[in-house]
Amino acid sequence: MAASKRVRTVIGSMSLFKARDWWSATLGEGEEFDQGCLCVGDVDNSGTGHDKVVVGSYMGMLRIFSPHASKTSEGGPADAQLLEVQLQNAIIQVKLGKFVSCSELLHLAVLHPRKLSVYSVSGTAGNVEHGDQYQLKLVYEHNLQRTACNMTYGTFGGVTGHHSLCIQSMDGMLMFFEQDSYSFGRFLPGFLLPGPLTYNPRTDSFLTVSSARELESYKYETLAVATEAESRQDPNLPLKTGGKRLTPDWVFVLGEQALDLCVPSFSHASSHIFILGERNIYCLRDNGQIHFMKKLEFNPSCFLPYASVTDGTTNLLLGNHTNMLLVYQDVTLKWASQLSFIPVAVLVANFLDVKGVVVSLSSDGHLLCSYMGTDPSFFSTPKVDAREADYEQVEAEMKKLQKFIREATRTQDILPKTDSEDDLCITTIVSSSMDNPSQALIHDINGLPVPSVTVQVKVKASSVVKSSKLSIGVQPPLAVTQEQFVLEAMGVGSSKVVVFSAFLNGHYPPADLTGDITVSYSSPTGVPKVLQSRFNLPLSLVCVACPPPKATKFKITVDTNQPPVDLSSIFREFSAKSEDKDGNSLAFQLLSGARVTVLASKTSQRYRIQSDSFEDMWLVVKELVHRFDQHFSKVGIKDFKKSFSGPLPLEEYFLSVDNHFQLRVSAQKYQDLLSERAVQFRAIQRRLLTRFKDKTPAPLQNLDTLMDATYSQVMALAEAAEENRALLEEAFVRLRSATHLLVLLLSLWQGLTPDQTSILEATLLPLLQDTPQLGWEESCDAAVSHLLRTCLSQNPKDQATSLAQTGGSVLGLPSDTARLKKHITLLCERIGKGGRLTLASEANVQVPAQVQNLAVPGGVEPIAELAGDGEEIEVPQEATKFIKKKQPSKKTKKEKEKKEVSKEPSEASVKEEEPIKEAKKEKKESSKEKKESKKESTKEPKEEAKKESKKESSSSKEKKESSKEKKEKEKEKEGKEAGDKKVSRRSSVKVKEKKKEPEAAEG
């Protein structure tokens, strides 16, 4: 570590230091290796102190090497290989130790999934040029009853002179072997998945990491006296035999999964436990207290603690997934070297020529013996020819670069502008003919064959694009043969072609024949991007031509301003099978629906679409309108218009709404019943378990019968809920079809623009699918109510006050659909009366003066719905207080009037701060004032004379006060008198109301 000081100056360029290759070999082809497949030691007991490298693979190949630096170019790994044996089973782990009784020699323990084998390796000096010969002899083996995961060894129980083995199985059992005999087995408590296992000889305990990401320590003595594993096949069952329950001596929470454990024993003073986590290195003391922790900035792959030259510290060799081999002294990085692979195991060995060689192994069989250091570089930088700078060229380049900088740093919008040319271009081609044979999963529906159509998607790249993903989405019940494709990296100008088939995969017609293509990819700079495209499937995919029916339930008439068109020329793919040769009628049989007939009038310019199902007409009507537009645009007629004059089929539409709502209610009922039965089922289970655990058996009291009946009810309810869910999906698709048809009829009825049609469609179809938390009814009701309060409101004040409503109640399943039907009917009526659909209507509304202060949090309560247009607001109950009061005398009236005159300005200021109440009072007062003025002119002439006398008396008092003051104060007093007169009028109106109400009560 003498070069550690130099490392600090060049720590930023770690790739400069590479692990120097001393000896290397490539082991086999297609073999796999892992952490436990490598060990080093004097396996042949030569006594020279030189280590050999033992490598085992998952393919069952066992190899032993004695690496040495080759002095000639010949030889290499073949000369260093001592032994290569093909075993029958995969090799999980290899260990060297004193595993044979009455022998001090090292033996090789090989762990297989279902076997533990102990071998002896011996070498025989050769008399010929081929060199020494090595043999592998089996000493003993143990057949395992459980699948092994890993193993560890040591002097368990403090026994000296030989080593024992401990194997951890995949189901959490620790199996202990003492030489050629099996000792005992113990189950780990709370086991789920196996973790790394090691033995601490200082405390005679075993360390492992549980699935709870905790480091657990078990003493060998505790394991020995715990419950016998053979008496408990299931570790979760209670104890039935003698013995203590197994509990760890101490637990340390790691919070992450451990990759490896190591307890170094290179010095008697060291008492540390090292744990390699996924993002951290932990160093604990033997009692479980943390010594230090190092957070890593990379993903580690393996590690090895080894002795340090500094007292009180430990060195760590750490390999990571960036092909780096790092050297730490506790938490300080001392050296870093570059490898040519990701190491999965690393060890330190002493060979013939050199000591302290780092032995590393990769997962695909790269075995490397390396040392750390730097070799001198003989590369010298060539001299640069001295040439004069071309200042004009430099200046032109500078201007060009500055232009680029200005364009890059220019202020951009919040959303980045799309490039003029995308990185990818998507071209979709839908075949004009059906597939033969069909690729549909359902071969026939109601005796009609189900066809499929081929769709070809071509993706062309205009720049370098990394691997991308293409997804296909169609509306249910349509389906495709493959929904996702993974496209390889594409260069400039290259293209990929994807082919799939679409078909009907349900017993009801879809609501839309369009499909979406989404390509997600990353640009050359690493920016994720998404490109979307849409394609249309043909109508012949879901219907065939058929003879027209005689009688139908639902009819729709579409008017045009052009002479009738031959339907056989519009629908050429269906005309061949049609029975009508005149082209005046054409019938479609939906594969999973009703028949739809299109009739063209011979005398008028009308077309009638009729069917027994209202929803099934949607696809035919949409295709008919679309093909009319295409036909007349090809002919060159630009003033083609189409309209709908008949009444809107709201009653037929509401049938689909009610059907969908009833299925949602049923789904909620099934969910509630399932919850109740599940609670009951669990309660019965608890009762039965209590009875079974009881030492004194008690009668079950028909709990088993009740449990069987409850289980049958749960299964029946689950099946019914699943059937209801399938019906709900079908009902929602049919509801979407009916809604699309209603939106189309509304747009034809009122001649809505495409923008208005989009707003209407987004209002009536706010969801693409139902969820238990949010359904179509409540979402559509909220959207329709918003339009009725804003752009379709008859009162401009309602449009202004709707802005102040920050939010309503939480959306949920309504009790019925009456409110929704009423709102949809009102929406259609207001659109029919000329209502304009726009999202920007709130900005164009002139806000009345009395509601300008409404847009404050909590300033407005929700507006109650009106029962009908022009209906008056009911008088609040507070107005009845005036009826019970007696009429005051003339003196009190005059005194009250004087007080009201003096207090009126302050009251007016308060009333200005409360515009809502003032506006309501002014409305009531104005309406009552008009009525009372007519009655009072005929019935109460005396009261008017009295009030005029009051006004004269108050004005005479004001004149006396003004004569005593100066002229300047007279001008100010005149301004006050004008305000007082206005206030006195209001007070007189209030007095009239107070007088009028007792009279009304008496009448």
Side-chain angles (χ1 to χ4, degrees):
M1 305 307 295
S4 60
K5 297 181 180 179
R6 291 181 292 165
V7 176
R8 299 173 185 172
T9 59
V10 288
I11 200 68
S13 57
M14 290 183 181
S15 61
L16 172 64
F17 304 107
K18 296 184 179 180
R20 314 315 301 175
D21 189 351
W22 182 72
W23 179 89
S24 62
T26 302
L27 310 181
E29 293 182 0
E31 297 187 45
E32 294 184 12
F33 303 85
D34 204 352
Q35 185 177 0
C37 297
L38 177 68
C39 74
V40 296
D42 191 10
V43 66
D44 60 343
N45 299 284
S46 62
T48 59
H50 300 153
D51 295 331
K52 280 79 177 176
V53 180
V54 182
V55 183
S57 72
Y58 285 165
M59 303 303 170
M61 192 68 71
L62 181 66
R63 299 179 178 89
I64 301 176
F65 296 92
S66 178
H68 56 82
S70 58
K71 299 179 181 178
T72 61
S73 59
E74 298 179 358
D79 294 341
Q81 185 167 349
L82 304 182
L83 187 65
E84 182 175 3
V85 180
Q86 175 67 53
L87 302 181
Q88 296 180 356
N89 300 313
I91 299 174
I92 300 176
Q93 200 170 356
V94 289
K95 291 289 185 181
L96 279 176
K98 300 176 183 180
F99 302 132
V100 178
S101 59
C102 302
S103 176
E104 293 291 331
L105 300 179
L106 296 178
H107 289 76
L108 179 64
V110 180
L111 180 63
H112 302 286
R114 285 280 184 168
K115 185 187 296 184
L116 171 64
S117 303
V118 176
Y119 297 94
S120 66
V121 180
S122 60
T124 304
N127 298 323
V128 293
E129 60 182 0
H130 295 294
D132 299 338
Q133 296 179 0
Y134 288 84
Q135 293 180 352
L136 184 71
K137 293 182 181 180
L138 178 65
V139 179
Y140 63 87
E141 66 180 12
H142 293 285
N143 291 319
L144 306 179
Q145 300 298 324
R146 301 175 183 274
T147 304
C149 176
N150 51 23
M151 68 176 177
T152 186
Y153 72 97
T155 56
F156 303 162
V159 179
T160 59
H162 64 270
H163 294 153
S164 302
L165 287 166
C166 176
I167 300 175
Q168 180 181 208
S169 66
M170 296 295 290
D171 56 353
M173 180 179 177
L174 297 182
M175 297 172 283
F176 294 88
F177 297 90
E178 188 173 354
Q179 285 82 44
D180 54 352
S181 62
Y182 171 73
S183 297
F184 58 89
R186 299 290 183 265
F187 276 111
L188 294 176
F191 182 85
L192 182 61
L193 291 173
L197 177 69
T198 189
Y199 174 70
N200 188 356
R202 295 184 295 271
T203 59
D204 192 23
S205 59
F206 293 86
L207 301 170
T208 185
V209 178
S210 65
S211 300
R213 298 181 177 180
E214 296 176 345
L215 179 65
E216 299 176 348
S217 174
Y218 298 91
K219 283 189 175 294
Y220 180 76
E221 182 182 358
T222 306
L223 291 167
V225 300
T227 306
E228 185 68 25
E230 283 72 12
S231 64
R232 292 174 56 209
Q233 296 299 324
D234 189 355
N236 295 323
L237 291 178
L239 298 176
K240 293 183 179 179
T241 60
K244 297 182 179 179
R245 181 182 296 273
L246 182 60
T247 56
D249 297 315
W250 53 263
V251 175
F252 180 79
V253 179
L254 297 177
E256 60 179 331
Q257 189 58 41
L259 303 180
D260 196 5
L261 293 175
C262 188
V263 180
S265 58
F266 36 77
S267 67
H268 297 287
S270 62
S271 60
H272 293 152
I273 303 168
F274 291 88
I275 306 101
L276 178 63
E278 295 175 334
R279 301 295 292 179
N280 300 281
I281 292 178
Y282 303 88
C283 179
L284 306 181
R285 296 185 177 88
D286 287 341
N287 57 1
Q289 295 179 356
I290 189 166
H291 179 55
F292 67 81
M293 186 184 89
K294 170 68 176 176
K295 184 174 179 61
L296 304 178
E297 298 179 356
F298 45 80
N299 293 325
S301 59
C302 59
F303 85 134
L304 174 71
Y306 67 98
S308 174
V309 295
T310 306
D311 294 336
T313 61
T314 304
N315 284 6
L316 287 171
L317 274 178
L318 183 63
N320 60 21
H321 285 269
T322 59
N323 301 353
M324 297 293 295
L325 189 62
L326 309 177
V327 179
Y328 284 90
Q329 189 176 46
D330 286 347
V331 296
T332 306
L333 180 64
K334 292 294 184 179
W335 194 269
S337 60
Q338 185 79 35
L339 296 177
S340 59
F341 53 83
I342 299 174
V344 296
V346 60
L347 295 172
V348 176
N350 298 324
F351 297 119
L352 178 62
D353 302 323
V354 64
K355 295 183 179 181
V357 177
V358 179
V359 183
S360 53
L361 177 67
S362 70
S363 60
D364 53 355
H366 289 281
L367 181 63
L368 175 64
C369 296
S370 60
Y371 61 93
M372 298 183 187
T374 56
D375 287 344
S377 177
F378 298 101
F379 174 76
S380 60
T381 306
K383 294 182 179 180
V384 181
D385 296 336
R387 58 180 179 179
E388 296 182 359
D390 188 354
Y391 292 102
E392 294 181 357
Q393 183 179 358
V394 172
E395 188 176 359
E397 185 179 1
M398 178 64 72
K399 290 181 179 179
K400 184 178 180 181
L401 293 175
Q402 287 178 349
K403 182 180 178 182
F404 288 155
I405 294 172
R406 283 195 301 270
E407 291 179 356
T409 57
R410 186 176 298 167
T411 304
Q412 299 180 355
D413 297 333
I414 297 175
L415 294 176
K417 297 180 179 179
T418 57
D419 299 334
S420 58
E421 183 179 359
D422 292 326
D423 298 326
L424 294 177
C425 178
I426 301 177
T427 306
T428 308
I429 301 175
V430 181
S431 177
S432 58
S433 59
M434 298 292 110
D435 297 340
N436 190 15
S438 175
Q439 303 294 324
L441 300 178
I442 303 176
H443 298 292
D444 62 276
I445 299 176
N446 299 328
L448 298 175
V450 180
S452 64
V453 64
T454 301
V455 181
Q456 180 179 347
V457 181
K458 183 179 181 182
V459 181
K460 186 175 181 181
S462 58
S463 62
V464 178
V465 176
K466 299 180 181 179
S467 59
S468 54
K469 189 175 182 180
L470 186 143
S471 302
I472 312 295
V474 291
Q475 300 295 328
L478 295 175
V480 293
T481 53
Q482 187 174 349
E483 294 182 349
Q484 293 184 350
F485 299 87
V486 177
L487 306 180
E488 298 178 355
M490 292 183 288
V492 179
S494 62
S495 61
K496 300 285 184 181
V497 178
V498 170
V499 179
F500 61 90
S501 296
F503 51 87
L504 185 66
N505 194 31
H507 294 274
Y508 54 95
D512 201 349
L513 289 175
T514 60
D516 296 319
I517 299 174
T518 305
V519 179
S520 57
Y521 64 96
S522 297
S523 64
T525 58
V527 179
K529 291 186 177 182
V530 175
L531 189 62
Q532 292 182 332
S533 179
R534 179 163 288 188
F535 61 92
N536 294 314
L537 296 173
L539 182 64
S540 56
L541 188 66
V542 295
C543 64
V544 295
C546 68
K550 295 182 180 180
T552 55
K553 293 182 181 179
F554 307 104
K555 299 177 182 179
I556 293 175
T557 303
V558 178
D559 299 336
T560 62
N561 62 345
Q562 298 296 329
V565 183
D566 187 5
L567 295 178
S568 60
S569 63
I570 298 293
F571 296 94
R572 295 186 182 274
E573 67 271 26
F574 298 97
S575 60
K577 299 180 181 180
S578 178
E579 296 181 357
D580 187 11
K581 303 302 180 184
D582 298 335
N584 294 327
S585 65
L586 191 61
F588 304 90
Q589 172 65 58
L590 295 175
L591 297 179
S592 55
R595 293 186 182 184
V596 182
T597 307
V598 180
L599 300 174
S601 176
K602 298 179 180 179
T603 57
S604 61
Q605 302 168 353
R606 292 184 175 182
Y607 301 87
R608 174 174 291 177
I609 302 94
Q610 53 191 17
S611 175
D612 287 334
S613 175
F614 177 72
E615 304 90 356
D616 293 348
M617 291 190 291
W618 154 241
L619 291 177
V620 178
V621 174
K622 176 187 176 184
E623 192 71 17
L624 179 68
V625 172
H626 177 64
R627 297 200 181 194
F628 276 166
D629 294 336
Q630 285 185 339
H631 173 74
F632 288 110
S633 63
K634 289 181 181 178
V635 176
I637 299 175
K638 298 182 179 179
D639 59 344
F640 170 69
K641 294 182 179 179
K642 49 194 179 297
S643 61
F644 172 73
S645 57
L648 291 175
L650 290 179
E651 294 298 329
E652 294 84 352
Y653 174 67
F654 289 153
L655 292 177
S656 301
V657 174
D658 290 336
N659 183 30
H660 177 262
F661 178 74
Q662 291 300 327
L663 289 173
R664 283 193 64 196
V665 173
S666 300
Q668 186 63 38
K669 289 181 179 179
Y670 283 130
Q671 186 68 28
D672 296 340
L673 288 174
L674 269 175
S675 300
E676 293 177 2
R677 294 298 179 270
V679 171
Q680 177 179 331
F681 187 73
R682 288 192 293 269
I684 298 171
Q685 280 184 324
R686 286 194 295 269
R687 291 283 184 90
L688 282 174
L689 286 175
T690 304
R691 297 289 176 88
F692 291 149
K693 289 181 179 179
D694 195 359
K695 294 181 180 180
T696 58
L700 297 180
Q701 297 178 351
N702 296 325
L703 282 176
D704 53 345
T705 307
L706 184 60
M707 183 176 178
D708 292 339
T710 307
Y711 176 76
S712 301
Q713 292 178 1
V714 169
M715 296 305 295
L717 284 172
E719 293 175 358
E722 186 64 21
E723 293 177 1
N724 188 82
R725 184 193 61 80
L727 293 175
L728 183 59
E729 290 180 358
E730 178 181 352
F732 184 68
V733 173
R734 291 187 178 276
L735 177 61
R736 288 187 59 201
S737 300
T739 307
H740 280 300
L741 182 57
L742 181 65
V743 170
L744 178 61
L745 296 180
L746 273 170
S747 62
L748 295 177
W749 182 38
Q750 293 299 319
L752 301 180
T753 62
D755 293 339
Q756 293 175 341
T757 305
S758 300
I759 295 173
L760 186 60
E761 187 171 352
T763 303
L764 296 178
L765 281 175
L767 299 175
L768 288 179
Q769 61 182 2
D770 267 331
T771 59
Q773 293 78 21
L774 185 63
W776 176 83
E777 284 80 7
E778 53 267 30
S779 303
C780 181
D781 190 17
V784 172
S785 301
H786 176 72
L787 286 185
L788 294 176
R789 289 195 187 102
T790 55
C791 58
L792 295 180
S793 176
Q794 294 181 349
N795 189 358
K797 188 179 73 172
D798 294 342
Q799 300 186 31
T801 55
S802 64
L803 296 176
Q805 296 181 9
T806 56
S809 59
V810 179
L811 296 182
L813 181 65
S815 58
D816 54 21
T817 57
R819 174 189 173 94
L820 175 62
K821 293 178 185 177
K822 177 182 176 182
H823 285 174
I824 293 177
T825 306
L826 190 59
L827 174 75
C828 298
E829 289 178 358
R830 293 190 180 178
I831 292 177
K833 292 179 182 179
R836 187 167 62 93
L837 291 172
T838 174
L839 297 178
S841 62
E842 293 88 353
N844 301 327
V845 174
Q846 184 177 2
V847 182
Q850 62 268 24
V851 290
Q852 286 181 354
N853 297 326
L854 292 182
V856 292
V860 176
E861 297 178 356
I863 301 174
E865 295 184 3
L866 297 178
D869 295 333
E871 189 173 337
E872 292 183 0
I873 302 175
E874 296 180 1
V875 179
Q877 296 180 358
E878 295 179 356
T880 58
K881 296 179 182 179
F882 297 107
I883 299 174
K884 298 180 181 180
K885 292 182 179 180
K886 298 180 180 180
Q887 283 188 339
S889 61
K890 293 183 180 180
K891 288 184 179 181
T892 55
K893 283 182 182 178
K894 289 182 180 180
E895 291 174 358
K896 286 182 180 179
E897 285 175 2
K898 288 181 181 179
K899 291 180 180 179
E900 286 175 0
V901 168
S902 60
K903 294 181 180 179
E904 200 64 25
S906 61
E907 291 177 359
S909 62
V910 173
K911 289 179 181 179
E912 286 176 0
E913 295 175 358
E914 299 177 354
I916 306 171
K917 297 180 180 179
E918 188 65 34
K920 290 183 179 179
K921 288 181 180 179
E922 285 178 1
K923 230 185 230 182
K924 294 178 185 178
E925 289 170 4
S926 60
S927 60
K928 291 181 180 180
E929 191 175 354
K930 289 179 182 179
K931 294 179 182 179
E932 290 172 358
S933 61
K934 293 179 182 180
K935 294 180 182 179
E936 288 172 356
S937 61
T938 55
K939 294 181 181 180
E940 297 178 357
K942 295 180 180 180
E943 292 179 0
E944 290 180 356
K946 290 178 182 178
K947 295 198 175 178
E948 287 177 359
S949 62
K950 293 174 188 176
K951 292 180 181 179
E952 290 175 358
S953 62
S954 61
S955 60
S956 62
K957 289 181 181 179
E958 290 172 356
K959 287 179 181 179
K960 291 178 181 179
E961 292 174 359
S962 62
S963 62
K964 297 178 182 179
E965 297 174 355
K966 296 180 181 180
K967 294 181 179 180
E968 295 177 355
K969 292 184 179 180
E970 285 178 1
K971 293 180 180 180
E972 295 176 359
K973 192 66 177 180
E974 287 175 2
K976 291 182 179 180
E977 287 174 1
D980 292 342
K981 289 179 181 179
K982 293 180 182 179
V983 175
S984 63
R985 289 180 184 176
R986 291 186 182 178
S987 61
S988 64
V989 172
K990 292 182 180 179
V991 174
K992 288 179 182 179
E993 289 176 2
K994 292 179 182 179
K995 285 185 176 182
K996 185 64 183 174
E997 285 169 358
E999 293 174 3
E1002 292 172 1

